[in-house]
Amino acid sequence: MKHYFILATCLLSMGMVSAQNFTRQDTLRGSITPEREWWDLNYYHLNVKVDPAEKFISGHNIVRYKVLESAKVLQIDLQEPMQISTITQDGKKLKFTSEENAHFIQLKKKQVPGEFNELKIEYSGHPREAVRAPWDGGFSWKQDANGHPFVATSCQGLGASVWWPNKDHMYDEVDSMRISVTVPKDLMDVSNGKLEKVDEVGNQKTYHWFVANPINNYGVNVNIGNYVHFGEKYEGENGTLDVDYYVLPENLEKAKIQFAQAPMMLRAFEHWFGPYPFYEDGFKLVEVPYLGMEHQSSVTYGNQYGNGYLGRDLSGTGWGLKFDFIIIHEAGHEWFANNITYKDIADMWVHEGFTAYSENLYLDYHFGKKASAAYVVGTRANIQNDRPIIGPYGVNRGGSGDMYYKGANILHTLRQLLEDDEQWRQVLRGLNKDFYHQTVTTGQIEDYISKKTGKDLSAFFNQYLRTTMIPKLEYQLEDGTIKYRYVDVVEDFDMPVRVFVDGNEKWLFPSSEWKTEAMDITELKFDKNFYIETQKV
Ligand SMILES: [Zn+2]
């Protein structure tokens, strides 16, 4: 999801409330319930007709799953006011009971472990309208400047079950998916993956899209407009990648200039993170009537064809105006969010921390290491340290909005600790290779980085991810000695820091105990690349 200036509003929109307010619905939505646990998603065919004039959708989803353990009740999610009309298995109608947005289907057929079964769920309704897409999402029913319908979905956090029936928990990604969208024939639908075919019946067209790779629920999207198309072939690490762009006709010329940053993005991120993770599905930028979102293989774009974040530089250094924030940030999520996906939104920093960090790696690749460091250090001004980055588990709640720029600065600090950019690059590439197309916990990511760097980073991650404290280095200079220690740190926090003593690089190894070293110091400077505070006492 995209960074939002007023972080508090962002958090509100994500429904982040204090722990005591969790409801039965939060648990049904946010935990791996017994009615979810026994089956493994294999395939969806979502077939939906969208009527922009009536703001109405109708259709069905076919859910194919593998039985892991025998069971009789299966949970499917679809949020009010959408309504399920019929559920069938092998042509037989099934009964279901509903608890608001969770629907418990009573299966008739014996569910044999190892076998694949299908459900067909027919549904319809006026889906929730996005209040402020993409943060407060749903359907955006807009019109373009020429009066054509311009419609798009966004639903991170809120959940894909806001507009289609599915297993709405992130831990289980469907392995492949077909998305068939019927629209008035003067419009086009652009969804995820590749366009297989277009059927025309009467005054309607159906666009059939196929996603060959695992996809997270909130990544699935429909975008409907009077689109024009252009595209190119990108020669990347895994061969030839189809890169396609869908924009409104009036923006075609602007798009041809601005979207030149897409191959630049691919060049930078394939270098740092490894091959684009979805070659079979291609990469698309799709214009939408809101700011943008990381929809897998169909990244949506609404940044008004200018650099920065709606023209602003989030770092305050000038470097943020060297790139189009939405192209770079949302596409960065193809690696961190779409390739490596959180199991629980409590670990959303795995998406946003790494992707906010990707902004400066884009600068690093194209503008150099100094530019990248200035940018990421500059973004510290956005950090609130209001709440920990990691949120509560099992109730569909994220942590602090600091997951973006504090997350980025944590990773930037780690890069300093390694003192070996190539090793760091291999860690980032290794994450994308070893967790390829997987859902993960933060624990797996932390352990992986510790293992690959040969450093025990448990106190480091506990400090920065699980508390709001910024390590403070207290120091005294007297009589040819420096005395120093950390305060505001968790147990065993002992991160080394780089300093410059009269211009010469030197490392200090502080802990929460005072240490004294003999050192003649006229001028002492701390390396700003480390995310700490310092205080002479
Ligand atoms: Zn994001």
Side-chain angles (χ1 to χ4, degrees):
M1 190 176 177
K2 219 138 1 11
H3 173 80
Y4 187 34
F5 272 103
I6 306 160
L7 289 164
T9 311
C10 172
L11 300 177
L12 282 175
S13 72
M14 296 288 294
M16 290 169 191
V17 293
S18 58
Q20 59 269 29
N21 290 344
F22 298 130
T23 64
R24 165 97 175 129
Q25 270 306 308
D26 295 327
T27 303
L28 287 177
R29 169 86 168 81
S31 68
I32 303 169
T33 61
E35 295 81 10
R36 281 172 168 157
E37 197 171 16
W38 64 268
W39 52 285
D40 181 37
L41 269 174
N42 173 248
Y43 169 76
Y44 286 133
H45 183 184
L46 174 62
N47 194 321
V48 65
K49 181 177 155 188
V50 179
D51 182 344
E54 299 296 326
K55 298 184 178 179
F56 186 80
I57 68 172
S58 58
H60 64 259
N61 188 23
I62 291 169
V63 182
R64 186 191 302 150
Y65 60 92
K66 186 180 178 185
V67 178
L68 303 176
E69 287 171 57
S70 195
K72 289 181 175 160
V73 183
L74 184 149
Q75 178 182 345
I76 285 287
D77 306 282
L78 182 67
Q79 299 177 30
E80 294 172 334
M82 301 304 294
Q83 291 287 325
I84 295 175
S85 57
T86 312
I87 302 175
T88 53
Q89 185 156 64
D90 299 343
K92 293 191 184 97
K93 207 169 157 185
L94 301 178
K95 288 184 179 157
F96 61 97
T97 56
S98 304
E99 273 191 57
E100 292 180 54
N101 302 325
H103 310 280
F104 299 95
I105 304 165
Q106 316 291 326
L107 299 164
K108 290 180 180 168
K109 182 181 176 184
K110 188 168 166 39
Q111 304 291 308
V112 179
E115 287 189 356
F116 288 85
N117 290 323
E118 281 188 2
L119 287 167
K120 184 178 182 186
I121 302 159
E122 293 176 68
Y123 77 109
S124 64
H126 295 274
R128 181 185 199 276
E129 268 191 62
V131 177
R132 194 171 178 175
W135 305 284
D136 198 352
F139 259 78
S140 298
W141 303 102
K142 305 285 184 187
Q143 292 197 326
D144 68 17
N146 298 312
H148 298 101
F150 193 23
V151 177
T153 57
S154 57
C155 57
Q156 189 184 18
L158 181 63
S161 58
V162 72
W163 67 275
W164 58 286
N166 61 78
K167 185 183 203 176
D168 205 358
H169 192 290
M170 296 289 287
Y171 87 100
D172 191 7
E173 289 192 352
V174 75
D175 301 325
S176 66
M177 180 165 184
R178 186 166 272 108
I179 306 162
S180 301
V181 182
T182 302
V183 295
K185 75 174 184 185
D186 56 335
L187 298 174
M188 180 179 188
D189 168 70
V190 183
S191 289
N192 314 75
K194 287 203 171 160
L195 185 60
E196 285 180 318
K197 59 172 181 167
V198 184
D199 296 329
E200 185 170 340
V201 178
N203 58 1
Q204 295 185 324
K205 279 184 178 170
T206 302
Y207 292 83
H208 300 276
W209 295 86
F210 183 69
V211 183
N213 288 297
I215 182 167
N216 61 45
N217 283 358
Y218 80 81
V220 175
N221 69 160
V222 302
N223 304 291
I224 298 164
N226 177 36
Y227 287 122
V228 289
H229 165 259
F230 65 106
E232 61 188 297
K233 303 284 183 194
Y234 176 81
E235 297 303 326
E237 290 195 14
N238 279 2
T240 304
L241 173 67
D242 291 330
V243 178
D244 292 283
Y245 308 109
Y246 295 88
V247 299
L248 296 179
E250 57 267 36
N251 294 324
L252 181 60
E253 294 313 312
K254 280 188 273 185
K256 282 181 175 171
I257 296 167
Q258 193 71 0
F259 290 0
Q261 291 185 41
M264 289 176 72
M265 171 282 296
L266 287 162
R267 196 68 67 204
F269 290 165
E270 286 208 324
H271 172 80
W272 276 104
F273 299 150
Y276 173 72
F278 309 104
Y279 267 71
E280 303 81 357
D281 293 328
F283 174 81
K284 301 191 285 290
L285 286 175
V286 186
E287 183 173 350
V288 288
Y290 63 88
L291 187 55
M293 188 69 195
E294 67 249 28
H295 297 117
Q296 183 174 312
S297 73
S298 59
V299 169
T300 49
Y301 179 86
N303 200 32
Q304 301 173 6
Y305 300 97
N307 280 355
Y309 179 105
L310 291 172
R312 288 181 58 180
D313 173 10
L314 295 184
S315 75
T317 62
W319 291 110
L321 298 178
K322 296 290 185 190
F323 62 93
D324 185 311
F325 182 90
I326 293 299
I327 296 175
I328 303 311
H329 178 97
E330 303 308 334
H333 277 306
E334 294 281 28
W335 285 262
F336 293 96
N338 298 338
N339 188 32
I340 305 175
T341 307
Y342 56 68
K343 273 195 166 74
D344 190 309
I345 198 169
D347 290 334
M348 189 169 162
W349 86 277
V350 174
H351 295 193
E352 298 304 346
F354 281 89
T355 301
Y357 182 66
S358 79
E359 296 157 23
N360 88 82
L361 291 183
Y362 175 85
L363 284 170
D364 191 296
Y365 189 87
H366 290 292
F367 297 89
K369 198 170 172 176
K370 275 190 179 167
S372 92
Y375 178 83
V376 66
V377 171
T379 61
R380 271 180 213 164
N382 302 308
I383 301 173
Q384 314 274 313
N385 281 308
D386 52 350
R387 290 182 301 121
I389 284 178
I390 293 179
Y393 290 95
V395 285
N396 193 41
R397 292 292 188 277
S400 166
D402 286 343
M403 69 179 80
Y404 291 81
Y405 292 108
K406 188 172 169 184
N409 275 282
I410 292 168
L411 296 170
H412 184 63
T413 302
L414 261 180
R415 179 182 181 178
Q416 314 308 314
L417 293 178
L418 292 196
E419 288 191 281
D420 183 342
D421 286 350
E422 183 54 22
Q423 187 194 14
W424 180 229
R425 187 170 80 99
Q426 293 307 330
V427 169
L428 296 169
R429 291 176 67 98
L431 282 166
N432 277 284
K433 184 159 169 280
D434 292 335
F435 295 110
Y436 183 70
H437 292 178
Q438 290 178 31
T439 60
V440 301
T441 63
T442 187
Q444 287 174 281
I445 300 298
E446 292 169 48
D447 291 347
Y448 184 91
I449 297 174
S450 283
K451 194 170 145 224
K452 294 293 172 180
T453 59
K455 294 179 189 296
D456 179 0
L457 296 165
S458 46
F460 175 89
F461 285 123
N462 282 338
Q463 173 80 29
Y464 286 114
L465 297 177
R466 298 183 176 86
T467 84
T468 57
M469 296 186 291
I470 301 309
K472 187 188 281 178
L473 187 73
E474 291 185 342
Y475 66 99
Q476 298 171 355
L477 301 176
E478 52 191 37
D479 302 333
T481 65
I482 178 170
K483 202 176 160 187
Y484 56 88
R485 69 165 183 182
Y486 276 131
V487 294
D488 298 339
V489 289
V490 299
E491 200 177 338
D492 299 329
F493 185 88
D494 59 355
M495 181 179 78
V497 288
R498 190 162 47 216
V499 297
F500 299 97
V501 175
D502 301 331
N504 298 314
E505 181 184 311
K506 192 164 167 29
W507 284 84
L508 300 181
F509 296 88
S511 69
S512 54
E513 305 293 322
W514 284 107
K515 282 187 183 176
T516 306
E517 278 183 54
M519 209 181 289
D520 283 321
I521 299 175
T522 308
E523 184 198 51
L524 177 67
K525 279 191 179 162
F526 292 90
D527 188 337
K528 285 193 168 52
N529 291 302
F530 292 74
Y531 182 43
I532 59 169
E533 289 174 358
T534 59
Q535 187 170 28
K536 197 171 181 180
V537 294

